[in-house]
Amino acid sequence: MHFQRSERFTLLKESMKKTTSNKKVMAMMEMEIVNNNNFVIEPSSKFHTYWDILKIASLAYLSVMIPERIRRQYGCSRNIDDDGCSSYNDHDGSMWHMDIILDFMVDLLFIVDILLNYKAFAFEEIGEDGRDLLNSNPEAIAERYKKSVRFIIDVAASVPFDIFGIIPAIGRYSLLRLTHLVRIALFPKFLSELQEHLEKGRDISIKGDTLSFVSIIFSSFVIFHWTAVVWSMMHFNGNKYHTSLYWVVTTFTTVGYGDVTPNNDNETGFALLIGFIGAIFAAALVAILTSYVHAIDLSENNVHHQKKVLKRFLGTRGVKAELQEKVALYYEFLENEKKGLDEMKLLKTALPSHLEAEFVLFSTHQLVLNVPMFAACDSSFLRALMLSLEPRFYISQEWVVQGREPVEGMFFVGIGSVDITDVKSKKLLLKHAHGAFFGDETIIRRRRKAPVSEEELKPTYAARATTESELWFLDPSDFDQVLRENPKNTLRLDMLAATTEASRGGSERGETGDSTDPSSTRFAAAAGAVGQALKGEHKMIIHPLSGAASIWRLVVFGFIMFDVFMIPYRIAFSNGPHDRSILNPSEFSESLYVDFAGDIIFFIDMILRSCVIAYFENDDLIEDRGRIFKHYARSLESKVHFMAFLPIEAVLYPILINGTRNMISVQLLSVCRINKLFRLFEVATLVAQLERALADLGLKWSKNGMWVTKVMMAMLLASHIFGCFFFLVARVAHLNGNPNWADGLGVLEECDLGKRAGTCYEEHAGVSIASSAALNASHANGTSADAPTQNGGDQLAQYIISLYWAVATLTTVGYGDVSANLDNENEIFYCIVTMVVGTFIIYTMVIVNLEEIVAQLDVTQSIFKRISDHVKEYLIVQDVPEEIRRKAEDYLDRLWVTQHGIGGTNLLNYLPPSLKCQVVGEMVSDRVRKLFFVKDQHTSFRKLFFSSLGLEHYMPGDFLFMAGEPAVTLFMLVDGSIDLTDESNTTVYTTLDPMSVQGCIGEGEFFSRLSQPCSACVKEAAELYTLEFDVFWRLLEQRRMTTAFRQALAENADALDKASTATLITKLKANLKNNKMAKMMQDNVVEKEAFVVLPSSTFFKVWKCVALIFALFYTIMIPFAVFEYELRFGKHTGDDDADVNRPVELWRIIVDCVGIAFFIVDMGLHLRYFVYKREGALVTKPAEFRNLYIWHGGFFLDLVSNLPLAQIYLLANVDDSRLYFGLSLLQFCRITRIPLYFEVFMTSLEELLGFRISSTGLRRLVFFVPILVVMNHIFACAFYLTGTYSDGEGSSGCEGQGCWDCWLDSEITVPADDDEEAQSGDSGQADIQPIS
């Protein structure tokens, strides 16, 4: 085998000729060239790209033309007289026309492709050393191709059976070409080869999702086309392909107008098959397109999941509202500014440390290099300094530096803005944006030799964030550490510190004397320049986030929406004369004035964006007009704005007005202004900017609510546009005298049928007329009415009907009462486009947005379900005892109730370090203030201490530690209670709770590294903050405080001994000498446990399953009973009530009584035996769970639903059963219990069958199916009853009845028990629709 590329080998040979004289080597190379002297096309050749595109186009041609030619031949065989059938007659051998020639050219192309794959297409393979090598050996190429499935498909598809079809005696040319369609199975292979060759030959990378999308579009097109061909042959004898395609699209998109239906059994069977396939195909296609557009993050990195979990956690822990709001704003900041990504956490988990460091350097290098004192430092020092920076988040109006407290360190502004104000005068000194810094005096002060007083530590300025801001923080201790590791920079920074000290002294003297410090002068000058810029004294530049910019965007948005609504509306529905009066200003309508005012606004907007409105570039505010203009000119929006601004109407309207007959002047003017709709592309951007501006003003809405509103508005806008043009197609057909849907519904007048637009207006100008509906009614009543003056009828009625059709189509409802005229190809084509675009693009985008909302509601539960199922499965596999298994399940249940199933430590790690310190400090700072050694340290150390704490939950019976174990963990109790016991766990020394333990458990033993003197057992579910000694020691080493810690241990040994648990136990043991105290502490009294039924017991599960059966019975039978009663007796008009008072069936009375008795027993069980679960913990004491059931468990609802009013009424009025079913509706309240019963049923079924539904979405789907069936049943019964009791004027033949009664009488036939003729009579299926 030869693995060398020919081009590279030739270059290598030429190089060797110049650099070596070894004849043996040159001879070997010449031999290689001879062996490789074959025609080979490498994978990187550009020839592959053109060849792949040609193959795909040829395959598309075959997939279209072969079925299409079969359809034509089939149609022509049943219509020989058709002039277009001469070339497709099966008995005609002269078939050499253009498409047949193209067929043979395509066949020749694929034969050449077989030869190239067999001989010329080299391929890459993995060599013995693991590297990719090119195999150009012809024998290897042929062998590889022959062993592939592709070779079999190519040969099968290339057999020329169709040659026999040219023989007149045989015919059936196209049928014999069906074997060529086998090659369509290679389409995905062709696409993947094109992707590979584009990457290798042209360095063009195509994503896999894009290929999948193209494959889906091609597959959909082929399936639609083939199905339309078959339906055309079955339903229309091979004719009316466009109508067949229309039927296929309505079926596959599930719109289903019902205007094209099967006529025989064969067509019905095919329609059923296509209906099933179409429903699955449409669902799969929408799902694939949805996943292509949107991918849900079902992990703990999901921002909505983290926000939801933290909201529950902080809300149940009593954290102050300000801190909760800050956490919420932090996640809004992540969504708006970071696209939902926490960069630092993502880098730590997704990238290795060296790449993480590269990102941090990229993000911070400009910030550090902007500082003058770091300008001359070496690169190693700067790199270490950048890596030591810590990102911090500040909400709007939060203090970063306050004048009364020392500055923690140095700050660099990354995102947002910070105001620097004077502490004394409160005047604004500077506005810091991206790249600015402050607090550098803390760094310089540490290099000064002179001592610093406490007064000097207080800054003379204050810093406050004006927007949600991300600042990078440099801790002075970290700076010292970096400086120790890079000592070469020490001398320069010391000199800088001395210079700054002298300058500061001069400044202080200037404040007391008359001299002025130059640095102060420069500072004041800078502040003055900022003030002038803010006042606009130098140049007029509008900040992109300012109120003026937001108001201007709102104005532009309003005019865009006006154009988007009015232009399609005028094109479709405008009335008026067909003349040039529109050019006369006196004839202008008010809306046209708004149009031209919008043009002026759009022109001003272009000017403002090109030189006045600043923009952000990498978080830098660009205010230079030259850069603003270049940025706008190069942007896509400038091209869109220019296309939308072009005054096309000024040129085209005067030319076209005299030559058109299908449009009046206003319509034509609107058509010429259709380029204004280009501005529609920036609506999404404007809406996002307006949302942000409103949020800055404090006007915030629910994000889910905002999404739903935007989705509804987008759907309404799309419906408006599609509806307008749907009517326009009908109107043009009407003016041309062609059939259309509008004439079929009578919404267009006959005065301009087949005439020029505007005829109605010109013939009946100034005459007040009625709408088309009124005109038709007058003719039906034999009266006369005024002739219409409007151009084609009532505009409002026309618009509502068109909008109704558009909404029904885009939402795939497809009532079918308004649909295209099957004799109008333009309407059919427009409907096809609308259904494809509406269902597979617009409707998909609606699902994407709604899925985003639903997914965020489901992701937290899905994560918890996945974790809990893994734990439970592991416990089962390991054959863990039932007691431990139940304990684990109770722990998970409590974890879900308290913090949505996420462990405390993991939950705290969702927050950035700065916010985590604040949250933990809020809850344990009172304990840390009393903690040995930590209480005396600087704030920065305490913040690191807070960030090192973990949070754990312990269930009753869990041990924190056992007697004799080393004290390696420090515990801070914040919830629950803990018993301190002896080694045998028989004697309880004391019970600790958050009120009695103001400090930490085992503080003395932890810091002194001693053993635990007792055991600690959880009495009530507890929540504790924990600190491992290894973590604490690493913290000391990081801060270089180990020596100070040892010294503190030696100096405070006595204090630690007093704070130890051993001292506490010694005191408690001394009290045990008192007999009374000993009796109180001994666990000698064992309370008799009451009999209870646990939720995990078999009896409980079986009982709830039976309750589910009864609840479903009531839910289904009660509405049906009311329906049946009204169906049989509701329209009784006789005087005798004997038929009406027919008694209720005995079986129904018995079942109702049994059900009531069952649920009364159920109430008793809940009151006495059924354990209640609250916040994940089982309440096993009868008095407690009884109280919970009464006040929180639905006792009163159960009581109302069990009232036997229907049975009492039946006993009191044996001869009158009309109210029995109405009173039975009380049992219908039981429907609220079905979700609880169903959850128990699903759990029991999973345990019985041995499988678990791990996906919460699938679990909800299983629950949703029966709910959907029940709701359909209820609404069907309500639909009937609504028609029964509705009042109003009926339509023709229904006088004196309600409109629904008329519908019921005409559409539904109910056989009486003794009416055999009605039961055996003819029946038909009617189209049930609301009567308008």
Side-chain angles (χ1 to χ4, degrees), residues 294-312:
H294 170 66
I296 303 171
D297 182 15
L298 289 177
S299 70
E300 292 192 45
N301 294 325
N302 185 287
V303 173
H304 298 277
H305 158 71
Q306 294 185 2
K307 184 164 60 174
K308 182 178 180 180
V309 171
L310 285 167
K311 182 179 180 181
R312 167 69 66 86

Side-chain angles (χ1 to χ4, degrees), residues 804-1094:
Y804 167 78
W805 169 86
V807 172
T809 301
L810 294 182
T811 57
T812 71
V813 173
Y815 291 114
D817 47 352
V818 180
S819 58
N821 190 300
L822 299 182
D823 296 325
N824 190 322
E825 294 187 9
N826 292 332
E827 289 185 5
I828 291 176
F829 176 76
Y830 182 80
C831 285
I832 291 173
V833 173
T834 303
M835 285 185 287
V836 172
V837 173
T839 302
F840 297 133
I841 297 180
I842 298 176
Y843 199 54
T844 299
M845 296 306 299
V846 172
I847 293 176
V848 167
N849 285 274
L850 295 180
E851 183 187 22
E852 178 73 18
I853 300 172
V854 176
Q856 308 316 325
L857 301 176
D858 184 51
V859 62
T860 300
Q861 190 171 358
S862 296
I863 292 173
F864 172 71
K865 182 67 177 175
R866 182 182 60 199
I867 295 173
S868 61
D869 285 348
H870 288 171
V871 172
K872 293 175 183 178
E873 184 177 355
Y874 172 79
L875 295 176
I876 294 174
V877 171
Q878 296 298 322
D879 197 19
V880 176
E882 180 66 24
E883 182 181 355
I884 300 178
R885 192 185 310 171
R886 187 180 303 168
K887 202 173 190 178
E889 293 178 357
D890 291 342
Y891 168 78
L892 292 173
D893 290 343
R894 177 174 175 78
L895 199 62
W896 169 256
V897 173
T898 56
Q899 48 203 45
H900 281 316
I902 305 301
T905 302
N906 291 339
L907 184 146
L908 291 174
N909 288 333
Y910 287 166
L911 296 169
S914 59
L915 270 181
K916 179 182 177 181
C917 291
Q918 295 181 50
V919 170
V920 176
E922 171 75 14
M923 290 184 277
V924 300
S925 58
D926 55 339
R927 292 167 172 78
V928 174
R929 291 192 190 100
K930 304 174 183 179
L931 189 61
F932 166 73
F933 184 73
V934 180
K935 62 183 179 180
D936 301 323
Q937 303 308 312
H938 190 265
T939 305
S940 60
F941 179 83
R942 287 204 296 270
K943 288 184 176 181
L944 289 177
F945 180 83
F946 291 146
S947 63
S948 302
L949 295 178
L951 178 62
E952 298 295 341
H953 286 269
Y954 291 85
M955 298 300 293
D958 291 342
F959 282 89
L960 304 186
F961 51 81
M962 301 292 290
E965 291 181 353
V968 296
T969 306
L970 183 68
F971 298 94
M972 302 181 189
L973 181 63
V974 293
D975 189 27
S977 60
I978 297 171
D979 287 339
L980 298 183
T981 66
D982 61 0
E983 295 182 5
S984 60
N985 301 319
T986 58
T987 302
V988 178
Y989 297 123
T990 187
T991 299
L992 304 179
D993 55 40
M995 297 301 296
S996 62
V997 184
Q998 296 297 324
C1000 301
I1001 301 176
E1003 178 181 345
E1005 286 79 7
F1006 176 80
F1007 289 112
S1008 301
R1009 307 294 287 146
L1010 300 175
S1011 298
Q1012 298 289 1
C1014 63
S1015 299
C1017 180
V1018 177
K1019 182 179 181 181
E1020 296 180 357
E1023 181 177 304
L1024 302 100
Y1025 283 90
T1026 62
L1027 175 67
E1028 300 296 329
F1029 190 84
D1030 292 342
V1031 175
F1032 177 70
W1033 191 256
R1034 284 197 298 270
L1035 178 60
L1036 295 176
E1037 290 179 335
Q1038 177 185 350
R1039 308 293 293 188
R1040 295 182 177 272
M1041 300 175 66
T1042 54
T1043 303
F1045 176 70
R1046 291 192 180 98
Q1047 184 178 354
L1049 279 177
E1051 296 175 354
N1052 298 275
D1054 295 338
L1056 277 177
D1057 182 63
K1058 293 180 181 179
S1060 65
T1061 306
T1063 302
L1064 176 63
I1065 298 301
T1066 301
K1067 295 180 180 179
L1068 293 172
K1069 285 182 177 180
N1071 293 332
L1072 288 178
K1073 295 178 181 180
N1074 186 313
N1075 292 331
K1076 185 177 180 181
M1077 180 66 70
K1079 290 181 180 179
M1080 293 175 60
M1081 292 190 144
Q1082 287 289 341
D1083 276 333
N1084 294 331
V1085 180
V1086 179
E1087 294 184 3
K1088 182 179 179 180
E1089 295 184 358
F1091 173 76
V1092 294
V1093 178
L1094 298 175

Side-chain angles (χ1 to χ4, degrees), residues 1064-1178:
L1064 176 63
I1065 298 301
T1066 301
K1067 295 180 180 179
L1068 293 172
K1069 285 182 177 180
N1071 293 332
L1072 288 178
K1073 295 178 181 180
N1074 186 313
N1075 292 331
K1076 185 177 180 181
M1077 180 66 70
K1079 290 181 180 179
M1080 293 175 60
M1081 292 190 144
Q1082 287 289 341
D1083 276 333
N1084 294 331
V1085 180
V1086 179
E1087 294 184 3
K1088 182 179 179 180
E1089 295 184 358
F1091 173 76
V1092 294
V1093 178
L1094 298 175
S1096 58
S1097 65
T1098 304
F1099 176 79
F1100 181 88
K1101 295 175 182 177
V1102 172
W1103 185 266
K1104 292 301 179 183
C1105 291
V1106 175
L1108 175 64
I1109 295 174
F1110 275 106
L1112 289 176
F1113 173 81
Y1114 287 132
T1115 304
I1116 295 174
M1117 291 305 299
I1118 290 176
F1120 184 76
V1122 177
F1123 167 76
E1124 183 185 14
Y1125 180 84
E1126 291 293 338
L1127 187 64
R1128 293 184 179 275
F1129 315 123
K1131 293 189 288 291
H1132 178 75
T1133 57
D1135 298 331
D1136 188 7
D1137 290 341
D1139 293 335
V1140 177
N1141 295 331
R1142 183 176 299 177
V1144 182
E1145 293 86 345
L1146 179 62
W1147 69 268
R1148 183 167 295 167
I1149 298 175
I1150 294 175
V1151 172
D1152 287 349
C1153 292
V1154 171
I1156 290 176
F1158 174 84
F1159 284 114
I1160 290 175
V1161 175
D1162 180 70
M1163 292 176 61
L1165 291 175
H1166 277 91
L1167 288 171
R1168 297 199 61 181
Y1169 300 109
F1170 281 173
V1171 170
Y1172 195 87
K1173 181 176 286 189
R1174 184 183 186 186
E1175 295 185 354
L1178 295 176

Side-chain angles (χ1 to χ4, degrees), residues 320-575:
K320 60 183 180 181
E322 294 81 0
L323 188 53
Q324 293 189 45
E325 182 183 4
K326 184 174 182 179
V327 172
L329 289 174
Y330 166 73
Y331 279 98
E332 289 187 14
F333 172 78
L334 277 187
E335 290 184 89
N336 298 330
E337 300 291 341
K338 304 282 189 177
K339 305 300 182 183
L341 297 175
D342 188 333
E343 297 167 348
M344 304 308 297
K345 292 181 183 177
L346 178 65
L347 293 174
K348 288 182 181 297
T349 56
L351 296 178
S353 56
H354 63 281
L355 288 180
E356 178 190 352
E358 291 296 328
F359 173 82
V360 175
L361 293 175
F362 170 77
S363 302
T364 60
H365 75 283
Q366 195 63 45
L367 302 176
V368 174
L369 294 178
N370 284 343
V371 182
M373 68 176 175
F374 299 146
C377 295
D378 57 65
S379 59
S380 60
F381 171 82
L382 294 176
R383 177 185 176 88
L385 192 66
M386 295 172 191
L387 295 176
S388 65
L389 296 181
E390 171 198 344
R392 289 190 176 184
F393 172 76
Y394 294 89
I395 65 174
S396 179
Q397 304 305 315
E398 182 180 2
W399 289 105
V400 181
V401 175
Q402 290 182 303
R404 61 178 180 272
E405 296 179 0
V407 184
E408 297 181 53
M410 187 173 179
F411 294 88
F412 304 83
V413 182
I415 298 177
S417 61
V418 178
D419 281 353
I420 306 296
T421 58
D422 184 74
V423 173
K424 296 180 180 179
S425 62
K426 308 298 182 182
K427 292 182 178 179
L428 176 67
L429 301 177
L430 281 174
K431 290 183 72 69
H432 279 329
H434 174 72
F437 62 90
F438 58 92
D440 50 319
E441 69 274 6
T442 60
I443 303 298
I444 297 176
R445 189 181 297 125
R446 295 177 74 92
R447 309 308 309 166
R448 292 170 57 183
K449 307 302 180 183
V452 181
S453 63
E454 293 185 4
E455 196 63 29
E456 289 180 310
L457 291 175
K458 295 182 180 180
T460 59
Y461 63 91
R464 171 182 278 182
T466 55
T467 62
E468 280 75 22
S469 305
E470 184 182 62
L471 276 61
W472 293 81
F473 174 70
L474 176 60
D475 192 288
S477 300
D478 293 332
F479 176 79
D480 291 343
Q481 176 67 24
V482 171
L483 200 57
R484 282 192 294 268
E485 296 172 355
N486 298 269
K488 293 185 294 183
N489 302 277
T490 304
L491 179 61
R492 181 184 182 281
L493 292 174
D494 287 344
M495 294 176 60
L496 179 62
T499 305
T500 307
E501 182 179 0
S503 175
R504 178 177 174 80
S507 175
E508 291 173 351
R509 288 191 296 272
E511 291 174 3
T512 57
D514 296 332
S515 61
T516 303
D517 177 49
S519 62
S520 300
T521 304
R522 290 194 298 271
F523 190 85
V530 171
Q532 291 177 354
L534 292 175
K535 295 178 181 178
E537 295 176 8
H538 289 175
K539 56 183 179 180
M540 181 181 176
I541 295 295
I542 300 177
H543 194 284
L545 302 180
S546 64
S550 300
I551 293 174
W552 179 253
R553 291 191 189 102
L554 182 61
V555 172
V556 173
F557 175 77
F559 279 101
I560 291 176
M561 297 310 298
F562 176 83
D563 281 343
V564 170
F565 178 83
M566 288 304 301
I567 290 177
Y569 182 85
R570 285 204 208 99
I571 292 175
F573 302 101
S574 290
N575 301 320

